[in-house]
Amino acid sequence: MPTHGGGPGTTLATIERLIETLRAEAGDVPLAAIGVGVPAIVHATAGVVGEEAHNVPELAGFPLARSLSERFGLPAFVDNDVNALALAEWRFDAGRGARSLVVLAPGTGFGSGIIVDGHLLRGAHGFGAELGHVPVKFDGPPCWCGGRGCLALYASGRGIADAARAHATGASGRALREAAGGDPARIDAPLVFRLAAEGEPVAAAVVEDACRALGAMLGIVINGLNPEVVVLTGGVAGAFGTLEKRVLGAAAEYAFKRALPDTKIIFAPGDKRSSMRGAAALALYELEQR
Ligand SMILES: [Zn+2]
């Protein structure tokens, strides 16, 4: 169900309707728990959505887990959507059996999830595992998160589109402008990837920066955490999949020489169903932690 299918401010109603529908479809199958992944900072222990909930502002500060638990009489667990996705990759998919796994998920923004030694890393206050907002260029431009030089500026859909738009004003940006029908606001990441593949130099430079930024992040991940598996997925991951060699070539500039080949790096095109399985993986993970 589309989150805001009922209009702005209807997220909670949508979630409740979805759970009711699933419960009806489950029939006699007993339900163990409810899991919810939210595109926001989430205080998972308390089950409360943080104030940084730009996609679902009506949930900011809301005790979602308690509300759902009381309404449906089941244990309910809430976490960041990419943390949930990492649990799904770990339990059901590419990371099965691994003790440590990092998910890098470039979409509109840049999400990530970290599992180390069999535990989901959340940090002390829910801000952990936000690798999209780790700087890959210390003197880089300001980021929408308040920091600067973040990975998301270079390798997320929004960052790639913004970078291309910034170049679309001058004479060198003519091809980009024309491809966007003369309106720089219509430049998006798929257009930039397409033009880059066709050899348009401005788009190619933006995509090259994206590959290098991802390579630097792989260096941070491998040298900082040394995980068994890294899964690159999310809305923009399909485009990076065709650039795998370049991303790994960049990673080789930053990661320990002996550690990189021992790291299983999987490029998996984004699939909404993986995120949804994340809700189930979160519930199962939390039940097992008890
Ligand atoms: Zn940032």
Side-chain angles (χ1 to χ4, degrees), residues 24-264:
E25 285 184 15
D28 294 338
V29 179
L31 299 187
I34 297 165
V36 186
V38 182
I41 298 292
V42 175
H43 306 291
T45 317
V48 176
V49 180
E51 296 301 324
E52 297 78 6
H54 307 297
N55 296 303
V56 281
E58 65 267 40
L59 292 184
F62 185 68
L64 184 57
R66 197 181 71 212
S67 168
L68 293 175
S69 185
E70 285 174 3
R71 166 90 194 256
F72 293 99
L74 289 167
F77 306 103
V78 182
D79 206 330
N80 168 267
D81 59 341
V82 186
N83 281 357
L85 173 62
L87 289 171
E89 294 288 346
W90 186 37
R91 180 173 284 269
F92 302 122
D93 221 324
R96 271 174 91 157
R99 289 286 295 160
S100 53
L101 164 86
V102 173
V103 167
L104 299 174
T108 307
F110 200 113
S112 61
I114 300 174
I115 289 158
V116 180
D117 296 334
H119 287 278
L120 182 69
L121 189 145
R122 287 171 166 139
H125 304 289
F127 292 93
E130 287 293 339
L131 295 175
H133 294 284
V134 164
V136 290
K137 192 170 182 188
F138 74 85
D139 56 353
C143 178
W144 58 85
C145 75
R148 63 188 311 147
C150 297
L151 174 65
L153 287 172
Y154 302 97
S156 72
R158 174 179 172 178
I160 288 166
D162 282 353
R165 270 185 217 123
H167 291 292
T169 49
S172 64
R174 220 178 113 197
L176 262 176
R177 276 200 308 279
E178 282 175 4
D183 180 6
R186 282 168 55 188
I187 294 173
D188 59 10
L191 176 72
V192 177
F193 279 109
R194 181 168 64 77
L195 289 181
E198 290 168 4
E200 196 286 310
V202 175
V206 171
V207 168
E208 180 62 22
D209 274 357
C211 291
R212 292 193 54 122
L214 259 187
M217 179 48 63
L218 285 170
I220 291 169
V221 163
I222 289 168
N223 295 2
L225 296 166
N226 191 207
E228 284 174 60
V229 181
V230 178
V231 182
L232 235 150
T233 185
V236 184
F240 282 119
T242 63
L243 301 162
E244 186 172 337
K245 271 207 178 106
R246 277 161 72 189
V247 173
L248 294 180
E253 289 183 51
Y254 305 104
F256 290 133
K257 260 185 190 50
R258 288 178 196 277
L260 180 60
D262 287 337
T263 310
K264 194 170 162 192

